[in-house]
Amino acid sequence: MNISLPVYQHPTLTILIDDSQSFLDSLAFQLPPHMARKVFHDTQAALDWLRDAYRHSPSKSQSIRVNYDEQAFSFERRTVAVDIEQIYRQSMNRRRFLLPSVLVIDYAMPQMNGLAFCQAVQDLPCKKILFTGQADEKIAIDAFNRGLIDRFIKKSDHDALDRLELEIRSLQKEFFHAQSLTLKDLLSRHSFTFLSDPALETLVEQLCKRHGFVEYYLFPNPTGILFFDIHGKATLMVVETEASLMSQLEVAQDYGAPLELLTGLREMRLVPFFSDSGGMYTDALRHDWLSYCLPAQICFGAQDYYWALFDFPNHYLREPFYSLADFLRDQSADIKS
């Protein structure tokens, strides 16, 4: 798979399906507390729930509309308009954490075996892990080679639980890659080239670990990535290139900005986030411009990216934020009730 960033990624549900309720309870208990899950010991109930969940899930393709130039009938002159703001607005959807991304399915079940279940949900975008016994390994290998499952793990392996956790996290990321592939391809050809740069992907993963970010979304203006931690604290990573910083410099020069700001932009030592003025320098910021800038850090990728992390202003989010901590609390309350 091409190494690159999905245009957004947030925590999702892992669905555990096994006919043994005691095994399900044990497995669910041993997974990390921040890994949201839902369990089923009845395969038909699981099928019904999954189909209903995808009918009511947040949109998995942003607002892409194709407009044709009515004055010309040439296919080559087709234009595509993308409402990029709809990407980070998905963070305001309270149901986003209910999206099922990975299924962990037992093979030997009386109602319907795991392979038949995978075939029944083949039209859904969720990833699938077949949890098998020793005797089922050949069946699992065949199912993997046929593309019916994405992984298989033997229950008898001494490291089965550790591997299961790693594979769930890996497949959750693959899920978002698949959901945003077309949109990412469009955007990475223009102002969002960093989406296809492995160096930026590595940097984002490092920032998530260092700062405890659990979800992120592409942000349009200024270009960057909007992160949230488990409690909903928002941080914007502004990502600039030499060309975009020179554009900032031109605007600042037109407004007669202070020499220190012009020099910092010209030498690419500063990353600005003029959050109170539509993203660009204006006369109103003259006496307080420094509070809107941070020292530039550099990511050396296919090109040099100049970036900084800013606290995200509250006025950008128009309603109270529903965080992963809120969701896990509500989910725990539902289980106890």
Side-chain angles (χ1 to χ4, degrees):
M1 175 174 291
N2 181 39
I3 299 176
S4 57
L5 281 172
V7 298
Y8 70 102
Q9 185 169 315
H10 58 73
T12 51
L13 277 182
T14 298
I15 309 302
L16 309 175
I17 306 168
D18 196 294
D19 60 305
S20 170
Q21 186 64 53
S22 60
F23 178 79
L24 280 174
D25 293 340
S26 174
L27 182 59
F29 178 76
Q30 293 179 78
L31 288 175
H34 293 165
M35 186 176 285
R37 57 266 190 190
K38 189 173 181 64
V39 302
F40 291 94
H41 67 272
D42 183 297
T43 51
Q44 188 57 53
L47 278 173
D48 293 342
W49 185 90
L50 279 168
R51 295 209 170 275
D52 186 66
Y54 274 104
R55 277 195 297 269
H56 297 93
S57 69
S59 172
K60 295 175 285 300
S61 59
Q62 284 71 38
S63 300
I64 302 178
R65 60 191 186 278
V66 180
N67 300 320
Y68 294 91
D69 185 348
E70 294 182 358
Q71 304 303 316
F73 297 97
S74 171
F75 181 80
E76 287 75 14
R77 296 190 65 177
R78 182 179 60 183
T79 60
V80 179
V82 182
D83 187 356
I84 302 176
E85 280 206 3
Q86 289 305 309
I87 299 174
Y88 87 88
R89 291 294 178 196
Q90 288 198 74
S91 65
M92 305 307 294
N93 190 320
R94 291 171 60 95
R95 294 184 59 84
R96 68 193 184 281
F97 301 129
L98 290 171
L99 181 65
S101 62
V102 178
L103 312 183
V104 179
I105 312 158
D106 182 33
Y107 174 72
M109 295 183 290
Q111 282 181 300
M112 177 189 298
N113 69 44
L115 195 54
F117 190 96
C118 290
Q119 289 174 322
V121 296
Q122 201 170 4
D123 59 314
L124 301 181
C126 47
K127 302 298 182 178
K128 308 168 192 72
I129 300 174
L130 196 64
F131 222 22
T132 72
Q134 187 72 33
D136 309 318
E137 185 174 0
K138 290 183 179 179
I139 296 172
I141 292 173
D142 179 65
F144 179 81
N145 290 335
R146 292 163 55 196
L148 287 176
I149 61 175
D150 299 280
R151 305 283 194 277
F152 67 90
I153 299 174
K154 291 189 292 185
K155 293 181 179 179
S156 58
D157 288 350
H158 72 280
D159 61 345
L161 189 62
D162 291 337
R163 186 181 165 205
L164 179 63
E165 181 183 339
L166 288 174
E167 295 292 14
I168 288 173
R169 296 190 187 281
S170 174
L171 288 175
Q172 285 175 336
K173 187 171 183 179
E174 286 187 23
F175 174 86
F176 283 103
H177 271 295
Q179 295 308 297
S180 62
L181 188 60
T182 300
L183 183 54
K184 183 190 73 65
D185 185 57
L186 285 171
L187 296 176
S188 62
R189 296 170 186 267
H190 300 286
S191 300
F192 301 90
T193 56
F194 61 81
L195 286 171
S196 296
D197 198 317
L200 249 295
E201 181 189 39
T202 299
L203 176 58
V204 167
E205 290 177 349
Q206 292 171 346
L207 292 175
C208 286
K209 291 177 182 177
R210 187 183 310 159
H211 298 282
F213 300 141
V214 296
E215 53 183 315
Y216 64 81
Y217 305 82
L218 190 68
F219 196 79
N221 185 30
T223 300
I225 299 172
L226 178 60
F227 295 97
F228 294 93
D229 69 11
I230 189 172
H231 300 292
K233 183 180 183 302
T235 302
L236 180 64
M237 176 189 185
V238 176
V239 181
E240 301 281 5
T241 62
E242 180 177 354
S244 63
L245 283 175
M246 292 307 99
S247 295
Q248 291 266 7
L249 174 63
E250 290 177 9
V251 173
Q253 286 175 327
D254 290 343
Y255 277 97
L259 178 61
E260 295 89 342
L261 173 58
L262 299 178
T263 302
L265 291 172
R266 184 178 295 108
E267 296 178 355
M268 293 175 285
R269 291 186 289 102
L270 294 177
V271 172
F273 175 27
F274 299 119
S275 55
D276 292 333
S277 62
M280 288 292 183
Y281 178 84
T282 65
D283 285 333
L285 305 176
R286 176 178 300 276
H287 300 294
D288 196 27
W289 66 268
L290 190 57
S291 65
Y292 294 90
C293 297
L294 287 174
Q297 302 190 63
I298 306 176
C299 175
F300 300 101
Q303 62 178 309
D304 293 346
Y305 301 99
Y306 303 86
W307 64 276
L309 295 178
F310 292 84
D311 289 336
F312 195 63
N314 291 331
H315 67 265
Y316 274 73
L317 300 176
R318 302 168 188 167
E319 53 190 271
F321 188 78
Y322 187 70
S323 68
L324 178 61
D326 295 328
F327 171 75
L328 293 172
R329 182 197 62 227
D330 292 345
Q331 190 182 49
S332 177
D334 289 342
I335 293 174
K336 290 178 182 178
S337 62

